[in-house]
Every structure is written in C-alpha cells, then in structure tokens.
Amino acid sequence: MPQASAPASETGLDWLPGPPGDADPAFNGWWAAYDLADVCRLFGVWIVHAGKRILAVFDPTMEPELVAYASELLAEARPYLSAHMDKLPALAPAEAVEIIKDTMRAHKSLRFCRGEAGSRWPLYPKTWTAGQRATVQSLWFVAGPALDRDDFKGVDEK
C-alpha cells in the first residue's frame, strides 16, 4: 500500500506547545496528544482533520496493537485537539480519493462496491492488517461523496 501519511517530520501534531500546568483542564488531553505525536513520528501515523472530524491515517504496516494504542490516545486527545482544530492539517476529499486510488493500484484486491443510493463501500482483502483497514476507512470517511462521484479512471479493474 502506498504511504498514505505525510513525510516522517510531519505528523499533524508538530505544532504542539509545551505542557499546560497540571491544574489546567487541558492537561490530560495535551499529554495524550503529546504521546500520540511520538507514536506518529515513530510509526508514520498522520493526524488530520476533515471538516469537524479528526482522523488518524495509519501506516499500513502498523501492528494491530499499535493501531489500537494510537486510537486510544487519539480518543483521549480528541477534546484537546478539537480546541486546536485550526492547527491540524486539513485533508480535502479529492486528496483522500487520490490516496485511495493509489492504494487500489498497489493492491488489486481492494475493491469498492456500490451501496444504497450509489455510494461506494470498501471491500477489504481478508489478509489486510488493522492498520491497512483503518487507513482506508479513515480515507473513505474523508472522501465522502467525492468518492461516489469519482469514476476511478486510471485504476485497472478486473
């Protein structure tokens, strides 16, 4: 799967300020964000926002236990990150569609089927890791209706 995350120096959390005081209500959320930033740097995770949604785009080779740990940190950090949404990188729906198409080119077994009203739904290969599935799912959420409108030109279909 192509690397769906930003370059290693960009995690989406590089802007984090120093810690607030331990009496500050944001203290626990900041620490979760700080720990998440370490996971991002070490394992190629990218934290972005799409509208009001904060998402993690995982390195597809990431172990399921690390995906779960990063997801827990993100859940704990979400209130803090929501208060600083303007500092998170925005991922546009068209960019998410292009990453999905690159992934489909690299993994011919990743397919999308048509759901009700013509929307597309991912069909994951059975052998995929949690990181691979979580990455495509995050991108699918971001792509939204843009994915439904895309004709998938340039993606070889079986």
Side-chain angles (χ1 to χ4, degrees), residues 31-57:
W31 272 109
Y34 183 81
D35 289 345
L36 181 59
D38 281 344
V39 171
C40 290
R41 276 188 290 281
L42 292 171
F43 299 103
V45 178
W46 188 29
I47 306 300
V48 298
H49 81 86
K52 294 187 183 263
R53 188 178 268 163
I54 298 171
L55 303 166
V57 179

Side-chain angles (χ1 to χ4, degrees), residues 4-17 33-34 36-42 44-49 54-57 74 77 80-82 84-91:
S5 62
S9 63
E10 297 178 16
T11 64
L13 299 175
D14 298 322
W15 54 268
L16 282 174
Y34 183 81
L36 181 59
D38 281 344
V39 171
C40 290
R41 276 188 290 281
L42 292 171
V45 178
W46 188 29
I47 306 300
V48 298
H49 81 86
I54 298 171
L55 303 166
V57 179
L74 180 57
Y80 178 81
L81 296 175
S82 293
H84 301 282
M85 185 88 69
D86 60 323
K87 295 178 182 170
L88 291 170
L91 183 62

